[in-house]
Amino acid sequence: MCGAVEGGLSLEGVNVAKEAVVQGQVTRGGEPVPNAYVRLLDRTGEFTAEVPTSPEGHFRFFAGEGEWTLRTLAPKADPVDRSVVATVGSVAEVTISL
Amino acid sequence: MSRENTLVTAQWVEDNLDNDQIVLVEVDEDTTSYDKGHIRGAIKLDWTTDLQDQVRRDFVNKQQFEALLSERGVGNDHTVVLYGGNNNWFAAYAYWYFKLYGHQDVKLLDGGRKKWELDSRELTDAPTEREQTSYTAQEQDHTIRAFRDEVVAAIGTQNLVDVRSPDEYAGRLLAPAHLPQEQAQRAGHIPTAASVPWSKAANDDGTFRSDDELRKIYTEAGVDWDKDTIAYCRIGERSSHTWFVLKEILGQDNVKNYDGSWTEYGSLVGVPVALGDERGEA
């Protein structure tokens, strides 16, 4: 299996061929944000999942095929929405700047 | 029950950090969250090791629960305030679990760990020491716990509320999207179940919506307030969140949580399963 995308979250242990991975990093002023929450909303805007970011600001979802929205909440910041397309067998990398 | 005696705010918790009568308990899906930082004085319960039998798929028994709470320093007279990540999924599960074993005074921190963090309130990694107690639990209260046979019997007769995401309900996903999707059970939902994702009951910051908003959400989804209700999800924690809303905030009688949930139902031989966004027929 290939290694992680530069700057991205390691994909070791993830069966990328069978999953539609959406992952990335939340940053503020170029620095990782470790205490943010990233929510995955479906094509109708309905909540599907949420994860807290790691100490390095990383997050990961195992989505289904299609269009999704990432909504990021963090202390002292307005929510940020980003669209992303997920495809089984690929990894969508998203960097979210607050 | 109502939100006045089952929910507390983050500010209330901060104001009561030195109150000896209150025991703060953190329960997270990610069982390492507490170790990285927790509210001062809080103890940790690990839902995978403390609350589950380590061989069979079931809860710890009455004696084990008594030993657990005694060792962690929780007394029968303490006010237990639960909080956790994932918008309180596992804290709500622990709340239901404490009620299952008859603890009198349990509350949820509205918004859980997320609200606390988004408010930039203090977390600490300092260990919590509590004196042991001698805790006595009650027999399990099965008026709030549903088993598979009554779930099958409820198809088309009682309110079944599927609280998973719409894609899990329809069978397009098999697990919440922060988990890998390879699962053993079939996809879909229990026929006639209403789809009311747990998240509809919460604001973005994890706090619960108002009573009026909550009642409207379930009414519009087709919940008949004159019937008994069983809530389910994948493993019974998100449905604890909805159980809490219906039973403890809105004060409905006869609301049960089906902790077997989809990982049990979706593996049963011979039971009906509905696919797609429609409820399906009984």
Side-chain angles (χ1 to χ4, degrees):
Chain A
M1 185 167 60
C2 329
V5 176
E6 188 180 355
L9 184 57
S10 167
L11 286 159
E12 192 177 343
V14 176
N15 190 346
V16 175
K18 291 189 173 179
E19 306 281 356
V21 175
V22 174
Q23 65 177 32
Q25 190 178 31
V26 180
T27 62
R28 179 167 13 211
E31 294 295 316
V33 179
N35 56 348
Y37 286 83
V38 184
R39 337 189 93 196
L40 183 73
L41 310 179
D42 71 14
R43 66 211 169 285
T44 70
E46 188 61 60
F47 175 99
T48 301
E50 178 180 280
V51 290
T53 51
S54 73
E56 293 77 37
H58 285 127
F59 63 88
R60 174 182 288 150
F61 294 105
F62 300 92
E65 294 266 349
E67 290 178 33
W68 300 88
T69 298
L70 297 170
R71 176 169 296 167
T72 304
L73 309 174
K76 303 184 178 78
D78 291 327
V80 175
D81 284 4
R82 288 284 304 274
S83 303
V84 61
V85 175
T87 311
V88 171
S90 83
V91 178
E93 286 277 352
V94 185
T95 300
I96 296 169
S97 306
L98 299 178
Chain B
M1 281 295 176
S2 68
R3 69 173 62 222
E4 284 71 31
N5 44 28
T6 54
L7 277 177
V8 293
T9 64
Q11 188 58 49
W12 184 93
V13 169
E14 192 162 319
D15 292 343
N16 282 278
L17 284 178
D18 297 310
N19 185 335
D20 293 339
Q21 184 54 33
I22 293 165
V23 183
L24 284 169
V25 182
E26 178 163 338
V27 192
D28 292 299
E29 178 181 34
D30 172 2
T31 56
T32 65
S33 288
Y34 172 93
D35 306 319
K36 295 174 199 153
H38 50 265
I39 300 176
R40 177 164 62 82
I43 60 166
K44 167 186 178 176
L45 287 182
D46 182 324
W47 71 278
T48 58
T49 54
D50 291 331
L51 301 179
Q52 306 275 341
D53 187 282
Q54 295 300 296
V55 178
R56 300 176 307 125
R57 182 176 173 191
D58 205 345
F59 300 146
V60 298
N61 64 29
K62 178 174 177 287
Q63 290 72 30
Q64 290 169 310
F65 190 67
E66 289 173 338
L68 172 72
L69 294 197
S70 300
E71 183 242 319
R72 302 291 161 89
V74 180
N76 286 83
D77 295 334
H78 282 134
T79 297
V80 172
V81 176
L82 291 150
Y83 74 97
N86 293 57
N87 302 275
N88 271 338
W89 288 359
F90 284 81
Y93 171 77
Y95 179 106
W96 171 75
Y97 203 112
F98 271 78
K99 285 291 184 187
L100 193 69
Y101 277 121
H103 193 84
Q104 287 299 312
D105 195 3
V106 199
K107 298 177 194 301
L108 267 190
L109 163 53
D110 199 11
R113 187 181 168 107
K114 179 165 70 169
K115 172 70 174 154
W116 189 271
E117 288 189 315
L118 292 176
D119 285 353
S120 301
R121 295 179 196 269
E122 189 183 353
L123 295 173
T124 176
D125 58 4
T128 299
E129 302 285 341
R130 294 191 61 82
E131 273 185 39
Q132 287 208 4
T133 62
S134 181
Y135 191 89
T136 306
Q138 307 298 311
E139 294 298 330
Q140 280 194 18
D141 177 4
H142 285 178
T143 67
I144 62 172
R145 186 182 189 193
F147 294 90
R148 60 178 180 268
D149 289 346
E150 58 190 305
V151 172
V152 173
I155 296 172
T157 62
Q158 292 183 27
N159 296 312
L160 285 164
V161 179
D162 185 317
V163 318
R164 298 172 299 162
S165 63
D167 280 344
E168 291 173 84
Y169 177 85
R172 293 185 287 267
L173 290 179
L174 272 161
H178 64 289
L179 299 175
Q181 294 296 314
E182 280 193 90
Q183 306 282 333
Q185 75 274 12
R186 297 302 173 110
H189 60 268
I190 302 174
T192 75
S195 171
V196 192
W198 70 271
S199 52
K200 286 189 181 298
N203 298 304
D204 276 3
D205 67 3
T207 56
F208 289 100
R209 294 187 188 279
S210 72
D211 289 11
D212 288 346
E213 288 174 311
L214 293 171
R215 202 167 283 282
K216 186 164 178 276
I217 287 163
Y218 294 96
T219 302
E220 286 180 354
V223 169
D224 182 342
W225 299 103
D226 294 327
K227 288 185 175 174
D228 296 351
T229 300
I230 297 172
Y232 74 93
C233 58
R234 187 181 71 105
I235 57 170
E237 15 63 57
R238 285 176 286 178
S239 49
S240 299
H241 188 276
T242 296
W243 174 86
F244 182 88
V245 169
L246 295 172
K247 175 96 175 161
E248 304 296 272
I249 296 183
L250 297 180
Q252 279 297 113
D253 291 328
N254 303 325
V255 184
K256 293 187 179 188
N257 181 31
Y258 172 36
D259 57 279
S261 272
W262 194 255
T263 51
E264 176 176 73
Y265 190 94
S267 301
L268 291 176
V269 175
V271 295
V273 171
L275 281 172
D277 297 308
E278 301 303 320
R279 285 182 167 210
E281 302 292 323

